[in-house]
Amino acid sequence: MSEELNKWSIFEKVVAVVTDGGANIKSAVRLMGLSHLPCTAHKLNLIVQKALKLSDNEEIKPDDNTDERDLKKLFKKCRSIVGFFKRSEVGHRMLVEKQKQLGNETVLKLKQDVSTRWNSTFLMLERLIKLKEPLTIVMITLKEAPSNLSSEEWNIIEDMIPLLRPFDKLTVELSAEHYPTISMVIPLIRGLQSSLGTKNPKTRLGIFIKDRLIENTTKRFDSLEKQTLTPHFSRATLLDPRCKKAVFGLEVNAKEAETYLVSETAALISNVSNNEKLQLKLLKQTTHTSEVNLDTDSDNVWNFFHSRVTSVQSQTTSTSSATSLMKQYLSMPHQDLKCNVAEFWNDYKTVLAPLSDIALKYSIIPATSVPAERIFSKAGQILSARRNRLLPKNVDHFFY
């Protein structure tokens, strides 16, 4: 990977690498000396998978508690129903006809889930609820159909859907590729936690799942706002004109992010100032025609004093300028939710420089690795073993 980045001369431009939580890829990123950020979509996937006990193995284990056993039985029953209507041509046709008889505007099909993708389980359960009435009627008339869900089991599914829907919406929102997403992780995760807290499941399993989701979410995103392992999230959020400090769970975390950003801005100001001084010094040396002072720099005993004082003054000036820039930005009104973050900072590139450069640096980081995975999926559809070359330009073909 380092070779490819250097080949395209972009290694120095990489701010962070976003991947899943695999130990091998995390080690690879660290060996390259680059910052690693965990994919938020993968973390959300793990949270729900663990809460729902989703796995390829549906077998009930001896150490499973009552809630876990009942949950596995429920999912197994749901998959059996969906699988039957997927396999049975008669069952499928009767389900379609029954929907039309009941006046359904759109004829729907059942959806089968994949254990490694929790959102497919959510979509399966959601579709079962939508087809509850025609499904129940058809299953009564079909002798070979599997057992229908009990009233309690339907109630459990109805409890689960409102708990899982915020995770689905959050995953879709953060997996976008046409606008910055990293700065929205903190406010959306806080919104997710708030949404879960307002849900009131009525069944025992519904309450069990709610508690597991809240517990897993808190555990996975406990250090999200801190400046330790993944400071990029909080810094990008603070530099999002729609969010600033308002969306942080703790004020101290917002203040800490501000402190680090002020230091980073001051360092940029100092570098610019030093470069300008160096250029001016070189210019003077090339144009200076007066006699050389016999008291050379190496013999000047006041050099230490002058260098230290100049350094302190420069540092103080840089820090005060950076602090002033940050205050100026934070005092500006919050922007509308539809505000384009990149366009905002481009508009204020001159007024808030170099804070604007730092803001753009953090905002370009994607919150998930989904956009990159989409590229590989699309590439696989375009170029395959059976479609491995393009037609000559002079050949006119039409494909239907």
Side-chain angles (χ1 to χ4, degrees):
M1 185 174 177
S2 297
E3 292 180 4
E4 290 300 316
L5 294 175
N6 286 318
K7 178 181 177 181
W8 291 91
S9 301
I10 58 174
F11 187 89
E12 299 299 327
K13 298 180 181 180
V14 176
V15 181
V17 180
V18 182
T19 73
D20 59 26
N24 55 344
I25 190 67
K26 288 167 67 176
S27 298
V29 174
R30 281 196 296 267
L31 287 172
M32 288 190 294
L34 297 173
S35 298
H36 175 266
L37 288 184
C39 171
T40 305
H42 281 84
K43 293 180 77 170
L44 291 170
N45 184 49
L46 292 173
I47 288 171
V48 182
Q49 277 193 332
K50 190 171 182 181
L52 300 182
K53 301 295 289 184
L54 296 175
S55 66
D56 292 327
N57 185 8
E58 293 182 343
E59 185 180 343
I60 297 174
K61 300 177 182 178
D63 58 340
D64 287 340
N65 59 40
T66 304
D67 293 322
E68 291 172 345
R69 284 198 298 269
D70 291 346
L71 199 54
K72 284 186 176 182
K73 288 178 182 177
L74 175 60
F75 287 139
K76 189 174 183 179
K77 203 169 181 180
C78 291
R79 289 166 186 146
S80 176
I81 293 171
V82 175
F84 170 77
F85 282 94
K86 289 288 185 182
R87 294 187 305 270
S88 172
E89 193 277 330
V90 175
H92 171 71
R93 187 178 68 252
M94 290 182 66
L95 183 59
V96 170
E97 292 173 353
K98 185 55 65 177
Q99 290 182 69
K100 292 178 180 178
Q101 290 174 12
L102 293 172
N104 291 8
E105 294 182 2
T106 305
V107 175
L108 302 174
K109 295 180 180 180
L110 291 172
K111 293 187 176 183
Q112 186 67 274
D113 75 327
V114 180
S115 58
T116 54
R117 298 290 181 182
W118 76 265
N119 55 328
S120 66
T121 304
F122 163 70
L123 294 173
M124 177 184 71
L125 297 176
E126 191 177 48
R127 185 56 57 88
L128 282 169
I129 289 294
K130 287 181 179 179
L131 294 177
K132 178 181 177 181
E133 186 179 359
L135 195 62
T136 302
I137 296 171
V138 170
M139 290 182 70
I140 292 173
T141 59
L142 287 172
K143 294 181 179 180
E144 65 272 22
S147 300
N148 192 12
L149 299 170
S150 66
S151 175
E152 177 66 12
E153 288 170 332
W154 282 113
N155 290 336
I156 292 170
I157 294 176
E158 288 176 351
D159 270 352
M160 290 170 63
I161 290 174
L163 292 170
L164 298 177
R165 186 174 287 118
F167 285 90
D168 183 61
K169 289 185 176 180
L170 188 58
T171 302
V172 172
E173 189 76 26
L174 293 177
S175 299
E177 54 190 67
H178 297 297
Y179 53 84
T181 52
I182 187 171
S183 61
M184 298 308 294
V185 174
I186 289 177
L188 289 178
I189 290 298
R190 298 299 170 237
L192 172 66
Q193 291 173 318
S194 175
S195 176
L196 288 174
T198 61
K199 307 300 181 187
N200 294 305
K202 298 177 177 61
T203 62
R204 173 178 55 82
L205 272 184
I207 296 170
F208 167 75
I209 293 169
K210 175 186 174 180
D211 292 341
R212 291 287 291 269
L213 288 172
I214 291 175
E215 178 187 348
N216 294 342
T217 302
T218 302
K219 183 179 179 180
R220 292 275 178 184
F221 292 103
D222 181 52
S223 59
L224 183 62
E225 297 181 1
K226 298 178 181 178
Q227 300 299 302
T228 49
L229 296 176
T230 54
H232 304 71
F233 290 103
S234 57
R235 296 178 191 180
T237 302
L238 188 65
L239 293 175
D240 188 325
R242 301 168 297 176
C243 305
K244 300 183 181 180
K245 293 183 178 182
V247 298
F248 281 79
L250 295 174
E251 175 66 23
V252 64
N253 291 335
K255 189 65 181 174
E256 191 177 2
E258 180 186 356
T259 302
Y260 275 89
L261 285 171
V262 167
S263 298
E264 192 172 347
T265 307
L268 274 182
I269 294 173
S270 179
N271 287 338
V272 172
S273 177
N274 290 337
N275 288 336
E276 289 176 350
K277 287 178 181 179
L278 180 60
Q279 290 175 1
L280 184 60
K281 184 177 180 181
L282 291 172
L283 182 63
K284 285 182 178 180
Q285 286 177 347
T286 56
T287 58
H288 184 61
T289 57
S290 61
E291 294 182 0
V292 179
N293 192 340
L294 294 176
D295 187 13
T296 61
D297 288 344
S298 60
D299 297 328
N300 193 339
V301 294
W302 289 99
N303 273 351
F304 174 79
F305 171 80
H306 287 305
S307 63
R308 282 301 179 92
V309 171
T310 302
S311 176
V312 171
Q313 288 177 335
S314 175
Q315 186 176 356
T316 303
T317 304
S318 300
T319 303
S320 59
S321 297
T323 304
S324 177
L325 276 175
M326 181 61 74
K327 286 182 178 179
Q328 183 182 349
Y329 160 67
L330 292 175
S331 65
M332 297 170 70
H334 285 76
Q335 299 297 302
D336 185 78
L337 191 60
K338 295 180 181 179
C339 166
N340 185 303
V341 178
E343 288 182 2
F344 171 87
W345 283 108
N346 273 322
D347 291 341
Y348 288 92
K349 191 163 188 172
T350 304
V351 179
L352 295 175
L355 183 62
S356 55
D357 296 328
I358 296 172
L360 289 170
K361 179 187 79 171
Y362 285 116
S363 67
I364 63 172
I365 304 171
T368 74
S369 60
V370 175
E373 292 170 3
R374 284 199 194 108
I375 293 176
F376 281 96
S377 297
K378 291 176 182 177
Q381 294 169 2
I382 296 171
L383 185 64
S384 63
R386 297 183 64 185
R387 190 183 181 188
N388 59 7
R389 64 180 179 180
L390 297 176
L391 290 171
K393 292 183 179 179
N394 59 345
V395 179
D396 190 13
H397 279 71
F398 295 92
F399 295 91
Y400 296 92

